[in-house]
C-alpha cells in the first residue's frame, strides 16, 4: 500500500483506458516484486537459553534473511500475552511479552531489518483479545460496564449457550460468565473473546493502536482472521448437523455484511495520507475469489492482498479438520490456477504453501522421502514462485524443513489438538484414527525449532526447546545449505532474486499450457509481459514425464532448474522431466 500509487483512483475515463488500468499496470505497487518471510518467534532462535525463541535470537540471524534476499518480514505476535494460543491471545497490544524480550530489543530488531533494506510487517490480531486484556477484564466486570458492549455478551437461551456455533478449538463458541450470568463469544479458545466491531469505540481503539505502531516505524500488518470482524446480525443458529451439538457456522461470521465498510474505514483512519510505503495482508479463511477481488482491488483501498485457504483445505473435511483425505489428483493445481486467473485483472494474490498454522510444504505438497526430498522441495518452491502474486516463505521452508515424526497424542502442544483430543475422548471417539490426520495436519509440524546447524538442539537453543527438534536436523540444516550450490536454500535465493530481476515474474499475466491438463502431476504455465515470457514446467510426481509445450519455446534459456545438469537452451520436442524435476525458461 503506497498512499500515492495504489490508493489513488484512476483518473482515466475512456472505456479502453479503464479496462487496462489496474493500478499495478499503471504504476506497480512496490510489493509486486517482493517476497515476504514469516518468523514465528517461539521457534526461530533462542538467545537467552530458556528453550523458547526470542527477539534477540532473530537479531542474531538477520544476516540469514539478508542472504536469502527477502524484502519483508512478517513477525507473528510478540505482544504481551498469556500464551493460550502462542501469542494470538493478546493482553497488551503495545508491549512486548517478556518471553520474547523488551521494547528496546524490538526497536533494535526494527533498526537491524531496516539497515538491511527489509521491512517489518506486524501481526494484527483484532478479531479477539485475550480474556486477560484490560478491555475484557473491564467488560466482564458487570453488565453495566462502559466496556460491556466491546465484546459479544448474550443471555442464555433455555439455560444454555445462545446459539449452536462451534469453536475452531472444539466445543461451543460461548462461555458462561458465572458472575454476571451471561455468555461471551469466542470463535477460537475460551481465552480469546471476540471484540464487537459494531461498536465504534472498539474500532477507534484499534486504529489508534495501529497508528502507534506505524509511528514507531513498522511497515504494515498481517491481519489475523480479518474477515471475521463483521458477524451476521442477531447471531442466528447455523443449520444443524446430525450428531453434532455445535457446528461450523462460517457463513454467519466470515465476510459478513459490514466487512468492506470496516476495512475501508481502517484504511482511511490508519493509512490514508500517511507518507511511506506500507503493506497489508488479510488472513481470510474461506474467502471466495469474488470477495478476494473486492478486498484487494487497489481502487477500493481496503487491503493489498489476502491469504486465501482453498488449496490448504483440500485434504480435510470442512466439518473436521483432522479427517484427512488426500486431495483428488490435480485438485491443488486446479485451485491455484483458478486463483491466478480470477485475480488476473484486479486484486492481488498472496502465494503460500505453509505458515505457522499449516504442515510443512515439502511434506504436504512435495515428497519428503529421502530420495525425493531435495528436488521436490525445490520444485514446490518453483511452482509457487513462478506465479503472479507475492510469495511468502515460512521460516525453515527455505531449507526444506519437514513435518515432525509425532508419535502419540501426548506429543502435541497446540491448543487446537489438545482440545480436539479432549473432546474426542469425551465422546469416546477413536484416537488412533484421529492421530493419522493430526500427525499430517497439526500446526505443531510448523512449530518445531528452526534447524540452524547439526549441533546440540540444531543450534536453536542451548537447552531442550519447548517443542522437540526434528531428528533430521543432523543433515537438514541451514549451515549445510547456505552457500552450497544446488541446495534448497540457494534455490530459494535464486527464485527471490529472479522476481527482482525479471519484471515478467512480478507483473506478467498467467496462462496454463494446454497439455498441462492431461497429467495431474504436471504443472506447465507461462507468464507474459510484453515481449518477455517465462515458462514453468514441473513434475509433481516420482514418474518421469515429457511435457509438450509447443514450438514457440524452442530456444528459450534455462533460468533455473531443480536438477544440476540441464541443457541451457530448450530444444524441439516435449520437455523431459525426471521425477519431481522442474525448470524455468525465459524468452527475452
Ligand atoms: O488462524 C485462523 C485460522 O482460521 C486458521 O488458520 C487456524 O489456524 C486453524 O484453521 C484452526 O483450525 C489465525 C492464526 O493464524 C492462528 O495461529 C490463530 O490460532 C487463530 O487465527 C486465532 O488467532
Amino acid at each position: 500500500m503506497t498512499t500515492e500509487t495504489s490508493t489513488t483512483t484512476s483518473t482515466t475515463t475512456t472505456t479502453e483506458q479503464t479496462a487496462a488500468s489496474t493500478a499495478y499496470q499503471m504504476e506497480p505497487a512496490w510489493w509486486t516484486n517482493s517476497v515476504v518471510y514469516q518468523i514465528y518467534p517461539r521457534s526461530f532462535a533462542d538467545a537467552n537459553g530458556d528453550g523458547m525463541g526470542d527477539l534477540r535470537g532473530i537479531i542474531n540471524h538477520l544476516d540469514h534473511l539478508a542472504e536469502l534476499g527477502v524484502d519483508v518480514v512478517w513477525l507473528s505476535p510478540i505482544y504481551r500475552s498469556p500464551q493460550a494460543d502462542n501469542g494470538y491471545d493478546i493482553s497488551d497490544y503495545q508491549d512486548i511479552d517478556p518471553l520474547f524480550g523488551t521494547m528496546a530489543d524490538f526497536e533494535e530488531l526494527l533498526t537491524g531489518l531496516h539497515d538491511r533494506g527489509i521491512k517489518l510487517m506486524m501481526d494484527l490480531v483484532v478479531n479477539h483479545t485475550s480474556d486477560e486484556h484490560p478491555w475484557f477484564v473491564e467488560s466482564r466486570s458487570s453488565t453495566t460496564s462502559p466496556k460491556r458492549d466491546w465484546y459479544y455478551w448474550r443471555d442464555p437461551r433455555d439455560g444454555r449457550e445462545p446459539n449452536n456455533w462451534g469453536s475452531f478449538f472444539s466445543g461451543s463458541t460461548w462461555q458462561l460468565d458465572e458472575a454476571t450470568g451471561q455468555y461471551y463469544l469466542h470463535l477460537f479458545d475460551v481465552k480469546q473473546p471476540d471484540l464487537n466491531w459494531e461498536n465504534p469505540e472498539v474500532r477507534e481503539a484499534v486504529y489508534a493502536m495501529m497508528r502507534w505502531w506505524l509511528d514507531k516505524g513498522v511497515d504494515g500488518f498481517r491481519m489475523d482472521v480479518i474477515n471475521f470482524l463483521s458477524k451476521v446480525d442477531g447471531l442466528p443458529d447455523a443449520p444443524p448437523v446430525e450428531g453434532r451439538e455445535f457446528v461450523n457456522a462460517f457463513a454467519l461470521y466470515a465476510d459478513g455484511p459490514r466487512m468492506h465498510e470496516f476495512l475501508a474505514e481502517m484504511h482511511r483512519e490508519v493509512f490514508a495520507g500517511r507518507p511511506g510505503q506500507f503493506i497489508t495482508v488479510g488472513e481470510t479463511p474461506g474467502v471466495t475469489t469474488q470477495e478476494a477481488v473486492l478486498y484487494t482491488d487497489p481502487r477500493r483501498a481496503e487491503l493489498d492482498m489476502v491469504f486465501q485457504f482453498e488449496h490448504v483445505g483440500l485434504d480435510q473435511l470442512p466439518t473436521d479438520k483432522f479427517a484427512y483425505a488426500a486431495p483428488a489428483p490435480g485438485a491443488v493445481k486446479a485451485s491455484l490456477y483458478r486463483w491466478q486467473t480470477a485475480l488476473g485483472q484486479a486484486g492481488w494474490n498472496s502465494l503460500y504453501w505453509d505458515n505457522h498454522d499449516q504442515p510443512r510444504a515439502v511434506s504436504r505438497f512435495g515428497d519428503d522421502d529421502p530420495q525425493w526430498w531435495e528436488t521436490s522441495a525445490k520444485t514446490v518452491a518453483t511452482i509457487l514462485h513462478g506465479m503472479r502474486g507475492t510469495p511468502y516463505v515460512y521460516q525453515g521452508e527455505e531449507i526444506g524443513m519437514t513435518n515432525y515424526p509425532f508419535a502419540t497424542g501426548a506429543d502435541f502442544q497446540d491448543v487446537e489438538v489438545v482440545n480436539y483430543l479432549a473432546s474426542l475422548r469425551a465422546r469416546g471417539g477413536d484416537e488412533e484414527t484421529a492421530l493419522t490426520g493430526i500427525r499430517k495436519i497439526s500446526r505443531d509440524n510448523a512449530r518445531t525449532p528452526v534447524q540452524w546447524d547439526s549441533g546440540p538442539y540444531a543450534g536453536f537453543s542451548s537447552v531442550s526447546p519447548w517443542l522437540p527438534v526434528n531428528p533430521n536436523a543432523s543433515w537438514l540444516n541451514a549451515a549445510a545449505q547456505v552457500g552450497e550450490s544446488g541446495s534448497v536454500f540457494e534455490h530459494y535465493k535464486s527464485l527471490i532474486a529472479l522476481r527482482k530481476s525479471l519484471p515478467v515474474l512480478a507483473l506478467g499475466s498467467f496462462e496454463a499450457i494446454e497439455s498441462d491438463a492431461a497429467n495431474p502431476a504436471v504443472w506447465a504455465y507461462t507468464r507474459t509481459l510484453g515481449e518477455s515470457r517465462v515458462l514453468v514446467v514441473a513434475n509433481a510426481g516420482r514418474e518421469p514425464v515429457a511435457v509438450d509445450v509447443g514450438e514457440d519455446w524452442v530456444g528459450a534459456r534455462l533460468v533455473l532448474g531443480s536438477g544440476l545438469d540441464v541443457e541451457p537452451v530448450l530444444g524441439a520436442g516435449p520437455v523431459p522431466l525426471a521425477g519431481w524435476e522442474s525448470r524455468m525458461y525465459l524468452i527475452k
Side-chain angles (χ1 to χ4, degrees), residues 38 40 74 76-77 85-89 123 125 127-128 168-169 187-189 192 222 224-225 228 250 283-285 309 316 321-322 352 355-358 414-416 443 447:
Q38 183 193 352
Y40 191 67
W74 151 25
S76 277
D85 186 19
N86 294 0
Y88 283 89
D89 50 315
D123 215 310
V125 188
N127 172 69
H128 42 268
F168 279 94
F169 295 158
L187 294 183
F188 293 89
D189 189 58
Q192 293 169 296
R222 172 270 184 187
D224 197 65
V225 288
F228 292 179
F250 227 77
E283 188 207 25
T284 52
F309 276 63
Q316 54 203 243
K321 177 171 171 178
F322 297 118
Y352 73 99
N355 58 42
H356 67 293
D357 293 332
Q358 301 291 337
D414 183 17
V415 59
E416 179 175 44
R443 310 194 296 181
R447 300 176 179 186

Side-chain angles (χ1 to χ4, degrees), residues 19 42 120 152 170 227 309 334 357 390 396 447 482 525 536 576 588:
R42 301 189 142 230
L120 179 59
Y152 286 94
S170 299
N227 62 331
F309 276 63
D357 293 332
T390 298
R447 300 176 179 186
V482 177
Y525 64 82
V536 172
K588 275 260 168 170

